[in-house]
Every structure is written in C-alpha cells, then in structure tokens.
Amino acid sequence: MIEEASKSGKVTVEKRQLFMEMRAQNFDVIRLSTYRTACKLRFVQKRCNLHLVDVWNMIEAFRDNGLSTLDHNAEINVSRLETILSSIFYQLNKRLPTTHQINVEQSIGLLLNFMVATYDSEGHGKLTVFAMKSMLATMCGGKIVDKLRYIFSQISDSSGTMVFPKFDQFLREVLKLPTAVFEGPSFGYTEHSVRTCFPQQKKILLNTFLDIMMADPPPQCLVWLPLMHRLANVENVFHPVECSYCRSESMMGFRYRCQQCHGYQLCQNCFWRGHANGPHSNQHQMKEHSSWKSPAKKLSHAISKSLGCVPIGEPPHPVYPEASERPQDLAHPTQLKPVSNNMNDTVFVSSGAPTPTTSTTLESPSRLDEEHRLIARYAARLAAEASNSSCPPTDLSFNFDANKQQRQLIAELENKNREILQEIQRLRLEHEQASQPTPEKAQQNPTLLAELRLLRHRKDELEKRMSALQESRRELMVQLEGLMRLLKAPTGGSPHSSPSHSASCTMPMPIRSTSAGSTPTHTPQDCLAGVSDDVLDAFSQGVPRNLRNDLLVAADSITNTMSSLVKELHSVDDGLEDEEVNMRNGREKVSAQRHYGNRHSTPSF
C-alpha cells in the first residue's frame, strides 16, 4: 500500500513538473497571444527533446510500430503509447553522438504525461491513433512543409483530395495543444474553425492546402504553428544592433523595427512585453526581422530588386504533383522505386500493378532489416547522383514535369516583378506629389499663415518708412544747396538783392537716390559727400572766418538731423509718429539757421 501510494504520488509530481517549469519561464507577460502560445509550445517541444526528432524519423517510428495498419479512430492504451515513445527516443540516442546523449527516461515521462493531460483529460487511459499522430507530427522537428504534407496524406482520400470531416477532426486534435498550455480562449476549437481555414467549400488538393496553410497570414486558428517554426529558426540569430528600450548592445532572436520612428528598434523581449519610450508608441507598425544584413548588402539587394535582376522573394513551397501515391507491397524489392511526391507512411512503392492491400506486414524483423537496407541503398544512390549532377537525366517524363514547373515558376516570378515595378512607379508618383507644396497643405497650418502675413505687413511698413526718410534727406540736401547760394550771392551783386535771390533761386534735385527698400550705410560724418562744390569750398581756409563759422553751425545742425535719421533707420521698433516729430524738428532747425544766416551775413558786406 505504501509503495503504491508513493508511486502514485511520484506520477502526480511528474505530471505537474512540466507545467511548473513552464510557469517559471513567465511566458504570461507576453502581451500577444500568438507569440505567447508559440513560446509555450516551443518550450514543451525542447523540454521533451522532440525538436531533435525529424518528421521523417517520426513517420518511420509510426510504421515500425504498426500504426499504419490501424484505423484513425482506433484506441491505444497508455502502456503501448509508452512503448512507442520509448522506441522513438532510443532510436534518437542511437543517431546522436555520445557527447550529446539525452535522458531517455526523463523525456519519455515528460512527453507521456503531457500527452495524457492533453488528450485524456477524463482519465480513460486511452488515446486515438489519429490524435497521437497529429500531436507528434506537429510537435516534432523538421520543416513545416514536410509536416503539412504528411498531415494532408492522413486527411485526404485515394484521389488526393482533402476530406473535410477528416480535416475537422485534425483541427479538434491539434487545437488541444494551445488549450493544454492555457491558451484555449485564444486558439481553442470552434465549430467555425474549418470555415475560417477554407471559406469556400471546394476541391482542396495538396498544393492548395499548402498555399492556404503557409500563407501570410495563415488561418487564424493555426497562426501559432508557423510562428513556432520561425522561433526555432531564429533562436541563434545575432543582430549587432542596440535595443532602443533596454539599451542592450546585441539582440538574439527576432528584431523589430518601427516603420514610423526613424532608427527605433526593439529586441524580441521588449516588443513582446509592450515596452516603448520616447516618441514611439505600441500603436506604431513594426516590421519583424529574422536575420541581419549589413548596410552594403542591403543597398546591393535594393538595387538588384529595383533593376529586376533577382526574383522578388521565394515561393512558400515547391509545386508538387497532384496525383496521389498509395503504399504498395514490399514483396518484390527489385521493382521498388522511391516516392518523392507524397507523405504516406510507406516510403517506397513498386513499379508494378498495385495490390488491393494498403499496408504491408512490417512486424517481422527480416522485413524491417530488408527495408532498412533498401533505404540505405537509395540514400547511397541519391548521394552518387548529387555528386554527378552534370550528367543529363534519362527520364523524359521527369524532365517534362521539371521543365513545366520551371516555366510556371518563371511566369510567377515575372508577374511578381511587374507588380513590384508598378508599385515602385506608384510610390515615386506619391512621393513627388507629397513633395510639392499645395494650398491645402498651407491651409492646414494657420500659425504659418499668420506669421507670413505679419512679415509681409512689417516689410511694407519698413519700405514706407525708408521711402519717407529718403525723401526727407533729399529735401535737406536741397535746402543746404539753397543756403549756400544765399550765402555766396552778395559777393557778385548788391547788398539788397539777397531776399529777391532767395525767392527766385532754383532748388536742384539730387541726381541719384537710394531705393526705398535699401538701407543707407554712410555715417553722419560723410553726409556731405553728395553736396556741390560750393559747400565744400565754404569749408576751405580761404573763406572769411564769419562765413565759415556760420556754415559750421549750419553743418552741425544738419549733421545732428542726419544722425537722428540714421538712428531711425536702424530702430525697427520705434513708432512712425516719433519719426515724423524728429523730421519736423530737423526742418525747424534748418529754417532757424537759414534766418540766422540771412540776418548776420548782410551787414558784414
């Protein structure tokens, strides 16, 4: 009794061990359910060492254990399931080097408990053959296209057409995996799951099935499946880029680059947890990168793309022949030829007429050894053909099919190239249209329009003030010319002719004046540079002293007036009224000096 209790307690602990270790990884902090589900299932896959078992090894294990002869709905007990898992992991250890051996017993216990917890939640102690095949084929290692081909061989009829009830049964079984890792609300089975994968009920062949399952994006209920394979491919990918949030100098795994913030990149841990800083937001569109390319390689690849020198992208999967192949009898090994276009449990078929049986008796050891020898011979022949690939093939039908596939692939690539060129032309036109300023864009910025209006108004005011100042300067120069003529007039006439000459003298205008929009650069000291020779002669040593004093007084007054005008030109913030007052004061001073000169100059003669 004590031994049975301890044994049952040990089994209970083993059942909970995998889930406790998964909870310790803290995958629930990942905000996106797709990445959360893929990370959890990837952890289960690696913890149970299923990632080391290829899908082809799994198919061979199914055949060796006689599962190919059983109906999909047949049930097997837990003890037989344990035997099957034991054969899988012991064969794996034989293939691995001695330095990389795994703990077989631990792997068997973890995987067995996970499968029982997933597919035998009611505790009947039995699993269906189809459930076990679906789970192991999904969770094992290998390429996703090979897994999907095998799954299609299990859900299609003899004509190579998918049977919708069998696909619905596959979805029931495979969607129990997300439920087992507590992601059932996001990816649990519903009655509409088949309709979401295949909206139009039509004839589904192998290539159509692969196109839909490997599309971007894939069906919503199975979106975690290709992501789990991408996670396996990028686990050891190194990106020499600094994360914009955690400031890690290198990234491992996925790298995410924002499409709106220039140079903003996040590592997978920061992106999965929704971290963001600076102007970046979680609402921005992010592009996922699974590899690193140097700037030089990016430039060369972009140039090759734009010139159409290389095909844009690769097809998601090769095009396979639609005709199905049925497993045949292995009684005549000399007539065997390999089957490379299907994923049935039997790898070799005969070239003779098919037998009515759909499976062979593989239970005898002699049959198994014979089949292994045939596999080894075929592998050696493939290696020899690969080394001598320059020899022309002899199978004309195979050449025809290959040429047809190549022509179809070339046509698809040419269509994609034309689409890419059209897209480049469209983007160029949009860029040119966006770079041209339009009134609509200007109307969208009222602040800019208001500033432009203020600048134009200020410019007009400055031009008007400049014109007024230039006109005042011109008038002062004219008055100075008239004053000089009045002072020199008595030397050639009567003493009483000064008033009449003052009234009848002409006031010449300056020949050249600065434009209204220009700013004068002369100083008050050289303000007499544009006056006539009479004014310059008045300041020479040969003129009487009283005339020179009077002219100096008048020149000082004019100099002060011109200084105030220059200051007015350089002060933009002074009001127009102050400027007019200064101009009036200057005119009054010149008029006063004019009367003062007339009064004192007449008696001296």
Side-chain angles (χ1 to χ4, degrees), residues 275-287:
H275 294 163
N277 59 347
H280 178 70
S281 172
N282 289 329
Q283 304 299 325
H284 292 180
Q285 184 179 3
M286 303 290 287
K287 185 176 181 180

Side-chain angles (χ1 to χ4, degrees), residues 36-73:
R36 191 168 60 243
T37 305
C39 288
K40 290 180 178 180
L41 292 177
R42 175 63 178 168
F43 172 78
V44 173
Q45 183 190 44
K46 295 181 66 177
R47 189 66 182 84
C48 297
N49 290 316
L50 278 175
H51 66 294
L52 301 175
V53 184
D54 193 79
V55 62
W56 302 100
N57 303 128
M58 197 65 71
I59 295 172
E60 183 180 1
F62 294 159
R63 186 179 62 251
D64 292 344
N65 288 275
L67 298 180
S68 303
T69 61
L70 297 179
D71 186 75
H72 283 174
N73 296 323

Side-chain angles (χ1 to χ4, degrees), residues 24 43 64 96 166 170 188 279 287 313 316 357 373 377 471 475 479 488 503 511 514 520 527 548 552 588:
F43 172 78
D64 292 344
L96 293 176
K166 289 185 178 181
F170 165 73
K287 185 176 181 180
T357 59
R373 286 196 299 270
R377 287 169 54 189
E471 186 65 26
E475 292 177 0
Q479 291 178 7
K488 293 181 70 69
I511 298 175
T514 58
C527 61
R548 185 168 62 251
L552 287 173
E588 290 176 358

Side-chain angles (χ1 to χ4, degrees), residues 85-153:
L85 297 181
S86 300
S87 66
I88 292 173
F89 286 109
Y90 278 112
Q91 290 295 328
L92 172 63
N93 250 0
K94 292 180 181 180
R95 295 189 298 269
L96 293 176
T98 55
T99 56
H100 293 77
Q101 297 288 308
I102 64 172
N103 189 342
V104 176
E105 298 297 333
Q106 184 182 17
S107 301
I108 294 172
L110 291 175
L111 183 56
L112 180 64
N113 292 327
F114 179 76
M115 293 182 67
V116 171
T118 303
Y119 294 101
D120 189 26
S121 57
E122 297 180 358
H124 297 301
K126 294 183 179 181
L127 280 75
T128 62
V129 174
F130 188 70
M132 187 193 65
K133 284 185 175 182
S134 300
M135 185 271 174
L136 293 178
T138 303
M139 294 295 292
C140 69
K143 298 181 180 179
I144 185 174
V145 62
D146 297 333
K147 294 181 180 182
L148 293 175
R149 287 176 61 199
Y150 173 73
I151 291 169
F152 185 81
S153 69

